[in-house]
Amino acid sequence: MADARFTMTRRECLGALAATAAFPALRGAAAEGKPMRGAFMILSTPYTAANEVDYDDLAGEVDFCDRCGIEALVWPQNSSEQRYLSKAERLRGFDVLAEANHGRAPALVLGVQADDTAGMLEYARYAEALDPDAMIAIPPRSASSLADFRDYYAALCDVTGRPVFVQTSGGAPDIEPTVDFLVSLAREFPQCGYVKEEHPPVQERMLALMKHRPDPIRSILGANFGRAWAWEMRLGTDGVMTGGVMYADIYAGLWDLHQAGRRDEMRDLYGKLLLMLNLDRLIPGVRLHVLQKRGLFKTTQSRRGEYSFTQAQLDEIEHRFAALEPHLRA
């Protein structure tokens, strides 16, 4: 019988390994060697005319994003309509994306969130077997305290030693994942040193998190379709994770310009992107239209509702999209 004094859980073992220089893979930006920085595109979920998930188009997004030069693919998150997907659809999507991205440059980040820990673990164990580059989990909606958040992510770290992105929104509405909590969580579980920051005040929290890089905080990503990304890049954050696959080449171009120090060119391209992003509040379904326009989706079907467009709306979309066309890569 094993001596209990020398028995360690998987989580404790991973934490101990990550704390030592003998295991640099667990201390670096990503255990698999792909940096967790840059333009992370949350894939949209395509549907057939019969409102079934179109897995061929889902796989097609992988090829498109690879040609656009983005750094990572993420699915499914809120921009993927993840709450409208069944468990079977999510698991099959994991399989499709793992196969489609095999051997490609972008990192694959699988979303394993659920309303409670038990549900999350089902997704996490399935995802782990597919060898993704990282995982992301929205906090549990069933939580009643930060201690519940901690236990949820602790359970995830029992399953995987890969980078785990902690999203700071979308969980139980009355619980704030404070900066102190995020730093403490990352110290205890090094996998959780990756943050998708969405909780207001976003930029102030980012600056506070940056004081704790590179250990234990390893990567800080923005969101909100990149509407504040130009500023966040100038602040020194690590990228953006957002549902912008229809403009994937533009987000990739913005990151490349930023990395090259070409700030004026980045600002000008960012302004052209904002022309399209501003249409989201004026023309419902514009993103789906652009996905269809670019040949990625067969339909503009959504489980949130049906979308149709007047000629005046289509004319405005075309007028604004024309400013992006010289910068498209795929």
Side-chain angles (χ1 to χ4, degrees):
M1 182 175 178
D3 189 328
R5 293 174 300 170
F6 301 100
T7 301
M8 298 179 72
T9 67
R10 172 184 169 85
R11 180 172 71 246
E12 291 168 338
C13 183
L14 288 169
L17 294 179
T20 70
F23 292 88
L26 285 176
R27 292 181 55 82
E32 284 70 39
K34 293 184 179 179
M36 297 290 114
R37 303 181 75 246
F40 284 50
M41 292 295 99
I42 299 174
L43 304 183
S44 297
T45 301
Y47 302 100
T48 67
N51 209 28
E52 301 292 331
V53 176
D54 188 328
Y55 293 102
D56 288 338
D57 282 359
L58 184 63
E61 289 182 78
V62 175
D63 177 69
F64 173 78
C65 285
D66 189 14
R67 288 185 287 123
C68 286
I70 57 96
E71 279 72 31
L73 313 161
V74 187
W75 189 89
Q77 295 303 104
N78 289 333
S79 294
S80 317
E81 301 192 348
Q82 59 105 6
R83 293 196 177 277
Y84 298 86
L85 300 173
S86 70
K87 177 181 175 182
E89 288 172 332
R90 285 178 63 178
L91 296 182
R92 183 176 175 191
F94 283 1
D95 288 331
V96 167
L97 294 174
E99 180 177 357
N101 197 55
H102 182 71
R104 295 182 183 270
L108 177 62
V109 183
L110 295 179
V112 299
Q113 59 278 328
D115 286 343
D116 56 30
T117 298
M120 176 273 294
L121 287 174
E122 290 188 69
Y123 291 116
R125 289 173 181 136
Y126 196 93
E128 177 68 13
L130 296 173
D131 198 28
D133 298 287
M135 298 186 196
I136 182 171
I138 297 171
R141 295 175 64 84
S142 62
S144 59
S145 67
L146 275 178
D148 291 338
F149 277 16
R150 177 209 169 276
D151 291 345
Y152 174 87
Y153 287 106
L156 176 52
C157 291
D158 267 341
V159 172
T160 187
R162 307 174 194 280
V164 170
F165 280 93
V166 179
Q167 181 164 316
T168 61
S169 70
D174 297 327
I175 302 173
E176 176 187 351
T178 64
V179 169
D180 286 345
F181 168 78
L182 296 171
V183 172
S184 174
L185 185 71
R187 284 202 180 107
E188 186 174 4
F189 310 108
Q191 302 97 305
C192 291
Y194 306 82
V195 180
K196 183 189 179 191
E197 183 56 84
E198 295 188 295
H199 198 288
V202 171
Q203 287 74 39
E204 287 86 342
R205 286 170 55 97
M206 286 176 165
L207 288 169
L209 284 168
M210 287 167 60
K211 295 176 182 178
H212 301 277
R213 287 189 311 187
D215 188 13
I217 300 300
R218 309 186 187 325
S219 183
I220 305 165
L221 302 184
N224 192 29
F225 303 108
R227 289 192 176 97
W229 195 28
W231 184 23
E232 290 165 1
M233 281 190 280
R234 286 167 61 86
L235 289 176
T237 59
D238 299 294
V240 71
M241 181 187 293
T242 196
V245 63
M246 64 294 299
Y247 312 120
D249 29 18
I250 305 303
Y251 286 100
L254 287 168
W255 182 249
D256 290 346
L257 290 170
H258 168 66
Q259 292 292 96
R262 296 158 63 180
R263 291 188 170 186
D264 290 349
E265 292 174 68
M266 189 270 285
R267 178 193 59 202
D268 292 344
L269 180 56
Y270 183 69
K272 294 174 182 178
L273 175 63
L274 286 179
L275 285 173
M276 293 302 303
L277 298 184
N278 288 344
L279 279 182
D280 291 346
R281 297 185 176 99
L282 301 175
I283 304 177
V286 62
R287 290 172 170 268
L288 289 169
H289 173 76
V290 176
L291 284 165
Q292 187 181 52
K293 168 185 171 63
R294 299 197 69 180
L296 289 168
F297 283 12
K298 302 180 188 73
T299 75
T300 56
Q301 187 75 29
S302 167
R303 291 182 180 172
R304 293 172 175 166
E306 296 183 5
Y307 298 104
S308 59
F309 306 91
T310 67
Q311 189 58 52
Q313 289 174 328
L314 293 174
D315 289 345
E316 185 62 19
I317 293 170
E318 290 298 319
H319 176 67
R320 297 192 186 198
F321 189 79
L324 294 179
E325 287 181 336
H327 306 278
L328 302 182
R329 300 177 176 183

